Amino acid sequence: MTDSASLRLASYNIQKCVGLDLRRQPRRTLQVVDRLGADIVVLQEADKRLPPRPAALPHFVLEEAGWQIADLGGAGSLGWHGNAVIWRGKAIALTGMGHLPLPGLESRGAVWVSFDTPLGPLRVVGMHLGLVGSYRYRQVRQLAQHCARMAPMPTVWAGDFNEWSRRPVLEPLAPEMRFLPPKPSFPALRPLGPLDRIAVGPGLRVAAHGVFEEQPAQIASDHLPVWADLVVG
């Protein structure tokens, strides 16, 4: 953990652990995850594409490195619709989790996981949104509606939003969430698009945030990870 008053959350589309060299290397992906210095990591494309969609980043690889895994997938998957949440540290305890179905032509879904943390209760929503703008915006609205029906809790959204625009196009769709200023994270070798994003709800603020560019991140996936240091406020 970064310090006693903050918690680092990161989001990383791991592209099924296939790097830009077209080699599937789960332990290289783990290197990037470990180097983020994060307490909680939200992953996208964490499972292989074809049923039964086994984990691309095997459970035992994560567990050997001290990571705990929210059991969102079953049947050997790491997550649901490729969305997974992992965490590390004795000061963080899982309190709940579930799935959030999303509308769209593509098969999409989001996940939520709640924790007790040094910051207090925290809900993390992980997502990988659609490629088509009209459906993507419907998905953001749906997520906002899902969260509004849940018990009040400081909430953070993180994932691959597939949104290229740097204009505030998502904010009106989820007015309770504050989206961090977008920073380019895709493609990894020469980032242009701010596809990977983090947003925080009431009760949270962000002390710092950025894009992780250290090797082997620039080759381990076509996305770079993004991170934010959360504090109460």
Side-chain angles (χ1 to χ4, degrees):
M1 192 164 290
T2 50
D3 61 53
S4 60
S6 71
L7 182 148
R8 177 164 291 186
L9 179 136
S11 178
Y12 188 20
N13 184 330
I14 63 174
Q15 198 186 212
K16 305 172 185 66
C17 296
V18 177
L20 298 183
D21 55 1
L22 303 182
R23 300 172 66 188
R24 188 187 301 276
Q25 293 193 354
R27 292 191 184 278
R28 178 172 63 185
T29 300
L30 178 65
Q31 274 189 299
V32 179
V33 171
D34 281 342
R35 291 175 184 177
L36 290 170
D39 307 291
I40 300 172
V41 182
V42 179
L43 301 174
Q44 302 86 49
E45 298 195 26
D47 299 319
K48 296 179 183 178
R49 184 177 300 276
L50 298 177
R53 300 199 69 172
L57 183 53
H59 290 70
F60 75 89
V61 172
L62 287 165
E63 290 165 354
E64 285 176 355
W67 290 97
Q68 299 185 70
I69 304 162
D71 186 11
L72 293 158
S77 296
L78 192 63
W80 189 66
H81 285 281
N83 298 295
V85 179
I86 62 175
W87 72 97
R88 187 158 62 179
K90 294 180 179 179
I92 299 174
L94 179 74
T95 58
M97 58 186 163
H99 301 158
L100 299 173
L102 296 177
L105 292 173
E106 310 158 79
S107 179
R108 297 283 178 178
V111 299
W112 65 269
V113 181
S114 59
F115 297 100
D116 279 333
T117 78
L119 303 183
L122 178 69
R123 180 182 295 121
V124 177
V125 179
M127 66 203 70
H128 188 180
L129 301 186
L131 297 171
V132 178
S134 60
Y135 286 103
R136 183 164 62 249
Y137 303 147
R138 284 178 59 190
Q139 290 164 1
V140 174
R141 289 192 193 97
Q142 182 89 26
L143 285 167
Q145 292 167 7
H146 280 310
C147 290
R149 291 193 291 267
M150 294 180 175
M153 184 182 298
T155 297
V156 56
W157 291 5
D160 180 354
F161 282 74
N162 267 319
E163 180 57 60
W164 285 81
S165 177
R166 295 171 186 257
R167 295 183 294 110
V169 295
L170 302 177
E171 284 81 343
L173 308 175
E176 286 294 308
M177 304 301 294
R178 181 172 63 84
F179 286 81
L180 304 188
K183 297 185 178 185
S185 59
F186 177 88
L189 277 178
R190 187 172 294 180
L192 298 171
L195 273 58
D196 304 279
R197 306 195 184 198
I198 295 173
V200 297
L204 295 173
R205 61 183 179 88
V206 174
H209 75 286
V211 178
F212 184 81
E213 300 183 80
E214 296 178 18
Q215 288 289 21
Q218 292 181 341
I219 193 173
S221 171
D222 57 349
H223 288 249
L224 294 172
V226 297
W227 58 270
D229 290 337
L230 308 177
V231 297
V232 174

